[in-house]
């Protein structure tokens, strides 16, 4: 099996400061990769560089495109990269407000990516929107409500539906459960786990919540000060951390 | 006429505006930035249209101004008098006699010819503005032809009202490329945008000029199952009996009685002069007004 995404020596500097440095890994189809680390460790910078939101200073991000096979998304033209961003890629923001159009109805939010890739039949777009709202457990009669009338958890689920409607192959998630209370988090994780399995999605999840990666991620990368300090299978890293920082991170989790 | 340069603006400014117009004509539907000047009228009163008119006007032109189709409203009268004073050009109310027509929110009913120029006053030239507030982002969307968002607006219309409720400023696609705001003309006028005359759009406050060369292919956006429909009030003009013109609705008494009449005053008058009489019209008499 060939990798879906190959990251090779990815670095980003903010002047003299390191955003992330020399990050390399492969991601295979259907695999979920977790990136953990404390605030300021460079995990969001890394995610944004991979998703094309930030131009990296060095390195390559190779993606297995449907048309041309492996392509470097850093050097491809902007229209191509933006096209990837609304077809094969999806990006789930920590704050649903960043990922949704708050003054457009739920149906319009889900339909936007369909219309952006050329759907021009209202009935079809609406049917797909209803289908996707159902999959993320939003009642059909809320389709014409605006996201601001939704609770935080619903907004996050709507954002996920909006991203997955075009059948992407790779999902970037930045703290998808941040700011939600634990019972809502649990439902959301359950949903995400189901969708990832069902659609065979590959995902890269950035979080500081170790419980989230324990549930969702197959593999784990621990970051500290812009560098990857440890990688491995999730259970292996969490149960037997090798690097001093990973040990600190794992032992810092509060036990209830 | 010695106090002002011909048509108020200085020659350098007119050349700058003409360059923007030529660029606009070369790239139909593309919004060309230009250095909009202060004009002796407030923004929103047609400063963009006035600057474009001033730049294309010659001493032999015959000038007409309409405001929502009417020749006799304050805005139309003052712009007409402005150019009478500063350019000394001949003015008219007859559509067929005019060579330059400045318009606010209407296209004349009478088909225009290839020796006429239609100048639109545009309040907000960016069709994506209310969906995407960032100008940087909207320009990128135009450059990359990312127009999915425009259909989101139409989708919202259908989901809220059961039909595309946008009745004016209805977005169009120009020559299969740029999506353009045709200024707030009623969507009844949209099919007329492919015409023989040159159409120039000036937005003074927003500092943009765009243009449609003659016979440009202009398509109003829509969905396969909810296509674009030009619409008007289902009535005949009460004064001239026309059934093919865009109508104004007037409430004429406290009981809410309505009267529908042509919004294009020149069209209505010339029909009445030709002997057409509507349900509430009186036979036309010269100088009756």
């Amino acid at each position: 099996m060939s990798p879906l995404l190959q990251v090779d020596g990815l670095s980003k500097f903010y002047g003299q400061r390191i955003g992330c440095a020399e990050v390399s890994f492969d991601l295979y189809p259907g695999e979920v990769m977790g990136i953990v680390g404390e605030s300021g460790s460079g995990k969001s910078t890394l995610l944004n560089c991979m998703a094309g939101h930030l131009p990296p200073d060095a390195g390559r991000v190779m993606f297995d495109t449907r048309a041309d096979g492996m392509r470097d998304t850093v050097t491809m033209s902007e229209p191509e990269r933006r096209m990837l961003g609304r077809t094969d890629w999806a990006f789930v923001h920590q704050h649903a407000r960043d990922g949704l159009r708050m003054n457009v109805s739920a149906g319009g939010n889900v339909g936007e990516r369909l219309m952006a890739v050329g759907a021009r039949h209202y009935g079809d777009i609406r049917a797909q929107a209803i289908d996707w709202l159902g999959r993320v457990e939003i009642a059909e009669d809320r389709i014409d409500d605006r996201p601001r009338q939704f609770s935080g958890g619903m907004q996050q689920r709507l954002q996920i539906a909006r991203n997955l409607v075009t059948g992407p192959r790779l999902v970037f998630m930045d703290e998808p459960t941040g700011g939600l209370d634990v019972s809502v988090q649990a439902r959301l994780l359950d949903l995400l786990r189901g969708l990832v399995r069902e659609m065979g999605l590959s995902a890269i999840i950035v979080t500081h919540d170790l419980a989230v990666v324990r549930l969702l991620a197959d593999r784990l990368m621990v970051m500290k000060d812009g560098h990857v300090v440890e990688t491995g299978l999730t259970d292996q890293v969490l149960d037997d951390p090798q690097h001093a920082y990973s040990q600190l991170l794992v032992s810092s989790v509060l036990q209830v | 006429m010695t106090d002002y340069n011909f048509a108020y603006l200085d020659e350098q400014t007119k050349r700058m505006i003409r360059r923007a117009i030529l660029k606009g004509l070369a790239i139909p539907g593309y919004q060309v930035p230009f250095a909009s000047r202060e004009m002796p009228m407030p923004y929103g009163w047609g400063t963009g249209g006035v600057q474009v008119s001033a730049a294309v006007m010659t001493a032999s032109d015959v000038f007409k101004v309409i405001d929502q189709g009417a020749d006799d409203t304050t805005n139309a009268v003052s712009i007409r008098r402005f150019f009478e004073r500063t350019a000394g050009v001949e003015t008219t109310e007859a559509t067929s006699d005019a060579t330059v027509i400045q318009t606010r929110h209407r296209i004349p009913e009478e088909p225009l010819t290839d020796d006429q120029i239609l100048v639109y006053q545009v309040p907000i030239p960016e069709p994506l503005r209310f969906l995407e507030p960032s100008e940087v982002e909207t320009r990128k969307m135009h450059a990359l032809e990312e127009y999915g968002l425009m259909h989101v607006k139409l989708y919202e219309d259908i989901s809220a009202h059961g039909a595309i409720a946008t009745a004016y400023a209805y977005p169009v696609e120009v020559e299969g490329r740029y999506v353009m705001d045709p200024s707030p003309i009623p969507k009844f006028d949209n099919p007329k945008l492919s015409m023989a005359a040159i159409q120039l759009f000036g937005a003074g406050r927003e500092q943009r000029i765009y243009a449609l060369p003659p016979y440009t292919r202009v398509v109003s956006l829509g969905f396969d199952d909810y296509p674009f429909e030009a619409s008007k009030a289902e009535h005949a003009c009460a004064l001239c009996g026309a059934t093919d013109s865009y109508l104004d609705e007037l409430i004429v008494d406290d009981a809410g009685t309505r009267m529908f009449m042509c919004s294009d005053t020149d069209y209505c008058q010339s029909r009445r002069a030709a002997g057409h009489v509507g349900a509430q019209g009186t036979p036309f008499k010269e100088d009756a007004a």
Side-chain angles (χ1 to χ4, degrees):
Chain A
M1 188 155 56
S2 62
L4 182 70
L5 185 79
Q6 275 183 309
V7 177
D8 184 18
L10 199 66
S11 303
K12 173 77 184 174
F13 302 98
Y14 299 108
Q16 294 293 310
R17 289 182 226 292
I18 297 172
C20 60
E22 290 292 321
V23 178
S24 304
F25 67 92
D26 290 352
L27 184 76
Y28 287 85
E31 195 179 27
V32 179
M33 166 82 109
I35 303 175
V36 295
E38 59 193 4
S39 301
S41 62
K43 50 193 198 305
S44 292
T45 298
L46 175 62
L47 192 75
N48 283 315
C49 284
M50 289 189 289
H53 297 175
L54 276 177
D57 292 313
R60 296 187 304 167
V61 179
M62 307 291 288
F63 180 74
D64 184 15
T65 57
R66 287 180 208 231
D68 308 313
M70 276 295 181
R71 292 278 310 277
D72 187 356
T73 62
V74 176
T75 52
M76 71 167 47
S77 70
E78 189 173 10
E80 287 179 297
R81 193 162 51 239
R82 282 171 69 116
M83 189 68 188
L84 264 188
R86 54 179 193 268
T87 53
D88 265 355
W89 288 1
F91 197 102
V92 178
H93 292 264
Q94 175 177 5
H95 301 289
R97 287 172 174 273
D98 297 335
L100 292 172
R101 293 194 188 275
M102 298 307 283
N103 51 359
V104 168
S105 71
N109 264 297
V110 177
E112 181 179 341
R113 276 170 74 112
L114 294 171
M115 293 182 247
V117 294
R120 292 292 180 265
H121 190 283
Y122 175 81
D124 292 351
I125 294 167
R126 197 163 171 87
Q128 284 213 48
I130 289 171
D131 176 43
W132 267 99
L133 290 182
R135 289 207 222 178
V136 297
E137 299 165 14
I138 296 175
E140 187 181 329
D141 61 2
R142 302 298 302 271
I143 188 171
D144 293 328
D145 290 347
R146 300 192 191 292
R148 67 178 81 254
Q149 293 159 282
F150 286 5
S151 68
M154 279 172 82
Q155 288 181 3
Q156 199 57 286
R157 294 204 298 276
L158 179 63
Q159 192 195 180
I160 289 164
R162 166 186 161 90
N163 271 288
L164 298 189
V165 68
T166 46
R169 293 187 294 156
L170 176 58
V171 187
F172 300 100
M173 295 191 223
D174 191 2
E175 306 270 9
T177 57
L180 301 176
D181 61 58
V182 282
S183 59
V184 176
Q185 263 191 36
R187 294 254 310 279
L188 187 72
L189 287 172
D190 208 31
L191 174 76
L192 275 175
R193 200 150 65 151
L195 288 171
V196 165
R197 294 283 177 277
E198 188 186 315
M199 298 175 71
L201 290 175
S202 301
I204 297 176
I205 300 176
V206 159
T207 181
H208 56 248
D209 188 340
L210 294 182
V212 169
V213 288
R214 171 83 88 175
L215 275 172
L216 280 178
D218 305 312
R219 271 203 301 154
L220 198 56
M221 223 161 70
V222 182
M223 289 190 76
K224 169 95 174 109
D225 299 331
H227 295 273
V228 176
V229 294
E230 187 166 352
T231 58
L233 297 176
T234 305
D235 291 343
Q236 177 197 327
V237 174
L238 292 182
D239 292 342
D240 183 18
Q242 300 296 308
H243 190 273
Y245 175 71
S246 311
Q247 291 169 354
L248 177 72
L249 197 66
V250 171
S251 63
S252 302
V253 176
L254 292 175
Q255 301 297 325
V256 186
Chain B
M1 201 65 260
T2 52
D3 299 346
Y4 294 108
N5 188 37
F6 176 76
Y8 186 76
L9 291 172
D10 61 277
E11 291 304 312
Q12 283 299 322
T13 299
K14 286 197 272 186
R15 287 173 68 175
M16 175 270 294
I17 294 172
R18 285 175 199 143
R19 279 197 292 270
I21 291 172
L22 286 173
K23 183 168 179 181
L25 284 165
I27 318 170
Y30 171 70
Q31 298 166 46
V32 185
F34 80 111
S36 179
R37 297 290 192 252
E38 287 285 333
M39 296 303 282
M41 60 182 70
Y43 288 130
W45 285 66
T47 53
V50 164
Q51 289 178 78
V52 171
S53 294
V56 297
M57 194 175 284
T58 62
S60 59
D61 270 318
V62 182
F63 190 58
K64 169 184 162 89
V65 188
I66 51 174
D67 173 2
Q68 308 264 16
D71 288 277
D72 51 4
T73 60
T74 316
N75 198 200
V77 170
S78 29
I79 292 175
R80 200 158 56 225
R81 285 186 43 198
F82 174 75
F83 281 112
E84 278 171 9
R85 280 180 62 186
T86 59
V89 291
E90 195 186 325
T91 57
T92 181
E93 296 195 0
T95 303
S96 52
D97 294 345
T99 56
V100 177
I101 303 172
Q102 183 172 331
T103 175
R104 174 173 174 265
H105 308 182
R106 267 319 302 279
I107 295 175
E109 301 292 352
E110 197 179 320
L112 301 183
T113 59
D114 57 10
D115 52 5
Q116 291 178 305
I117 297 175
L118 187 58
V119 178
Y120 295 77
Q121 302 171 196
V122 182
I124 294 165
E126 179 51 70
L128 302 161
R129 177 57 68 240
F130 292 109
L131 298 152
E132 176 53 64
S134 157
E135 174 74 11
V136 172
E137 186 61 22
T138 53
R139 292 183 78 163
K140 191 169 273 180
M141 289 159 85
H142 281 293
L144 302 179
E145 235 183 312
E146 288 180 4
Y147 290 129
L149 202 51
M150 207 69 252
H151 276 84
V152 173
K153 180 173 187 287
L154 302 180
Y155 170 95
E156 291 289 286
D157 259 13
I158 302 172
S159 68
H161 307 288
I164 298 178
T166 302
Y168 63 93
Y170 193 102
V172 294
E173 184 191 76
V174 179
E175 282 290 338
R177 180 59 180 84
Y178 284 98
V179 165
M180 185 190 97
D181 183 340
S183 88
I185 59 172
K187 65 177 169 184
F188 173 80
D189 282 342
N190 269 26
K192 294 188 229 162
L193 286 163
S194 297
M195 64 158 78
I198 292 176
Q199 297 170 82
L200 306 174
F201 298 77
R205 182 189 51 204
E206 304 287 325
Q207 313 197 327
R208 294 289 184 276
I209 284 173
Y210 51 104
L212 294 174
Y215 306 110
T216 302
R217 187 159 45 87
V218 180
V219 179
S220 304
L221 301 179
F223 285 102
D224 297 344
D225 46 348
Y226 286 86
F228 167 78
E229 266 179 87
S231 64
K232 66 183 276 283
E234 289 298 327
H235 291 271
C237 172
L239 300 180
C240 77
T243 54
D244 58 349
S245 67
Y246 190 74
L247 302 175
D248 284 342
E249 179 179 1
L250 272 98
I251 296 176
V252 289
D253 60 22
D254 290 348
T257 310
R258 276 132 210 263
M259 175 180 168
F260 291 88
M261 52 188 279
C262 293
S263 100
D264 186 335
T265 51
D266 172 58
Y267 182 72
C268 198
Q269 269 190 33
S270 42
R271 272 180 58 86
R272 287 163 66 205
H276 298 278
V277 183
Q280 297 173 51
T282 49
F284 182 77
K285 285 194 284 294
E286 199 71 42
D287 295 322

